Amino acid sequence: MAPKFQKGPDLKRFMDKKLKFSMNGNRKIIGTLRGYDAFLNVVLEEAKSADGDNYLGTIVIRGNSIIQFEGIDRLAAKAS
């Protein structure tokens, strides 16, 4: 049986980090993650196309167009 309440994505550890997003239409965008919601809609600051020729500034990407994302900046390891 599926849970009645589904949590959104846990992207807290990626906040203020530089990420690379692969999207529909073979588009790739690099930017700093500033916000997100339960639908994986994200706000990127200082965004640019991955090939580097288009500066986009601050943008919002709809979650349903994101195929994958990867961290460009290194994440701090959890201290146990």
Side-chain angles (χ1 to χ4, degrees):
M1 185 168 156
K4 294 183 187 231
F5 177 74
Q6 292 184 353
K7 289 174 40 175
D10 185 20
L11 299 178
K12 287 181 207 150
R13 64 185 177 165
F14 296 105
M15 289 296 289
D16 302 323
K17 302 285 190 264
K18 190 168 280 207
L19 301 174
K20 178 180 179 181
F21 287 85
S22 297
M23 302 185 313
N24 292 340
N26 202 23
R27 294 172 292 178
K28 293 180 178 27
I29 294 180
I30 296 173
T32 305
L33 182 65
R34 294 295 183 207
Y36 65 94
D37 66 8
F39 301 105
L40 196 62
N41 299 322
V42 297
V43 177
L44 297 180
E45 221 172 55
E46 299 177 9
K48 61 183 179 181
S49 61
D51 55 12
D53 60 354
N54 290 335
Y55 180 76
L56 304 170
T58 302
I59 62 170
V60 176
I61 302 175
R62 276 189 65 158
N64 64 351
S65 66
I66 297 172
I67 297 171
Q68 76 174 32
F69 66 92
E70 61 182 295
I72 304 293
D73 288 345
R74 191 171 188 111
L75 297 176
K78 280 188 176 181
S80 306

